[in-house]
Amino acid sequence: AVNTVHRVWVLGFPERPPDWPAGLPFNPCSPHSLPPGPVVVHPSEVAHFIELARRAASHTESGTLPRAVLYLPPGDSEPPEVAAYFDAVVRADETDRLVRLLTCPHTLSVHEWVEELPREALFGVLEVPWEHRNLPGEAREHLTRCRVCREEFHQALQARRRLLRALCPEPEALARYATGAGAAHLAHHVDRCPACRAELAALQRELGGEPRAVPLKPELRPLWDQVATLLGVRRLPPIAVDLSPLLATLPLAAKSLPETQSPQSLRAQLEGVRCTVQRSPEGLLWAAVEADLQAPRKVRLVLASLHWTQPQEWLVELRPIAPGRLGATLFLGRAEHLEPGAALFLVPEPTDA
């Protein structure tokens, strides 16, 4: 069931606007303090609202500003303070959007929840993106049962996708690349862009082709021979996740990264199994494995280096993480313990046994 609003607080309105949505409450709040819950603010009272909002935030442990919507009458423009103090801006003729934003008290939090999603989740294969582990548990639970917030979540998700895709190649260029006729420089972009990787995989499925494999580099062949001997594997898998590009772009031996630098990641795919390797700012390496239900239920991750007497290996059992999806997360160790020649191999088990 969708939550309903029994009280809508407003600030700075001399009277109820003639275009105020029918059935939506209209309750002027005190000019001396802000009530709990979203407040709809008239442009004439923006400066006063900011003063009250700062005062209210100073009395909270988190310092969070109160939720607020700026209501713009016909002919008014947005003041410069909008981005910092308001969760949304609604014009007088956007009555449906105003009702939507105020129907549920959590709707104005949805855009913040979307910002919690990593890039891979924005363009990944999760059918239910709000179930991603990065979101707070209460957010996941609420989105499961609130249709209004789910719809707002999808809109915010699309908006963030469009923003991140601003520097991506045109769809026509990516389509040519999917057929093997595209410019070679796109390979560098696709290798680092989860959005284009997801779109490329969809294009190749439509064309009846297989996803492009990451070839085993010649310098990795001795490592693979070492891994094959350990596992008794004769057939060379088409995918090996080479960690050297990560080492080439990031000093993994460093103990920490600047807070402004986001974690680096690599991604590979093999027989319906996707593996993403991420390095945290503290220098920790994590592998996230995700697969379709038709993929092998067990995979081996093998970390090898020619300087090690024996590779490190993990047998990972994939478990349900979302409807129609399997997955697992594995800690690989500290990046400072790796060497420039280290490589991670993804090897599906031949059977589920």
Side-chain angles (χ1 to χ4, degrees):
V2 176
N3 295 328
T4 57
V5 165
H6 299 287
R7 185 181 295 272
V8 173
W9 297 102
V10 299
L11 178 67
F13 288 81
E15 59 184 10
R16 183 187 181 109
D19 44 18
W20 189 261
L24 192 66
F26 185 86
N27 302 97
C29 64
S30 168
H32 306 296
S33 63
L34 295 176
V39 178
V40 181
V41 182
H42 191 275
S44 62
E45 287 294 303
V46 166
H48 184 207
F49 165 77
I50 291 175
E51 179 184 347
L52 295 177
R54 287 176 174 173
R55 187 189 309 164
S58 68
H59 290 93
T60 64
E61 184 176 349
S62 62
T64 304
L65 292 167
R67 298 291 180 194
V69 175
L70 180 63
Y71 180 93
L72 290 180
D76 281 32
S77 58
E78 297 183 12
E81 300 89 347
V82 164
Y85 291 96
F86 292 92
D87 299 283
V89 179
V90 176
R91 298 189 177 277
D93 58 353
E94 296 178 315
T95 54
D96 290 344
R97 175 158 175 76
L98 181 61
V99 172
R100 176 179 294 277
L101 289 173
L102 299 177
T103 294
C104 175
H106 296 287
T107 307
L108 294 175
S109 303
V110 167
H111 287 260
E112 293 180 3
W113 295 343
V114 170
E115 291 297 324
E116 296 293 329
L117 295 176
R119 288 177 63 106
E120 286 75 12
L122 295 176
F123 304 98
V125 295
L126 283 177
E127 296 180 5
V128 189
W130 59 79
E131 290 187 353
H132 194 276
R133 60 182 177 274
N134 274 35
L135 294 184
E138 58 271 19
R140 297 198 300 267
E141 180 182 353
H142 178 75
L143 288 168
T144 299
R145 52 186 171 81
C146 180
R147 177 181 56 82
V148 170
C149 287
R150 281 201 305 274
E151 293 175 355
E152 189 71 18
F153 186 91
H154 280 299
Q155 292 183 15
L157 195 66
Q158 294 299 333
R160 190 175 171 209
R161 283 172 175 167
R162 287 192 295 271
L163 178 64
L164 294 177
R165 294 298 307 269
L167 300 178
C168 291
E170 294 294 328
E172 294 80 6
L174 203 59
R176 290 194 296 272
Y177 179 74
T179 64
H185 73 274
L186 290 182
H188 180 79
H189 174 86
V190 170
D191 184 54
R192 288 159 175 77
C193 177
C196 287
R197 282 200 303 271
E199 185 172 340
L200 181 64
L203 287 169
Q204 290 170 329
R205 283 195 298 270
E206 293 178 3
L207 295 171
E210 294 296 326
R212 291 174 182 256
V214 179
L216 189 69
K217 297 182 179 180
E219 61 268 26
L220 292 179
R221 192 167 298 280
L223 284 178
W224 169 251
D225 292 339
Q226 188 181 44
V227 171
T229 301
L230 171 68
L231 302 178
V233 177
R234 296 181 180 180
R235 182 176 65 87
L236 178 66
I239 294 288
V241 184
D242 177 18
L243 291 184
S244 56
L246 192 60
L247 289 158
T249 59
L250 184 67
L252 288 181
K255 293 184 179 180
S256 63
L257 287 172
E259 292 184 1
T260 55
Q261 185 168 350
S262 60
Q264 300 294 307
S265 65
L266 292 172
R267 185 169 179 172
Q269 180 168 321
L270 170 63
E271 298 181 8
V273 180
R274 285 160 291 282
C275 179
T276 301
V277 180
Q278 288 194 330
R279 180 209 193 279
S280 74
E282 295 78 24
L284 306 180
L285 287 176
W286 294 86
V289 183
E290 190 177 348
D292 305 319
L293 293 179
Q294 295 75 23
R297 296 300 181 97
K298 293 181 181 179
V299 297
R300 287 185 186 272
L301 297 181
V302 184
L303 186 60
S305 169
L306 288 175
H307 300 286
W308 298 345
T309 57
Q310 185 172 342
Q312 301 179 45
E313 66 161 321
W314 298 267
L315 178 61
V316 181
E317 183 173 354
L318 306 181
R319 302 183 181 278
I321 58 173
R325 307 296 305 154
L326 303 170
T329 302
L330 179 69
F331 175 56
L332 299 178
R334 299 195 64 85
E336 62 193 70
H337 297 158
L338 292 182
E339 301 164 354
L344 182 71
F345 295 90
L346 174 63
V347 186
E349 289 289 276
T351 67
D352 290 343

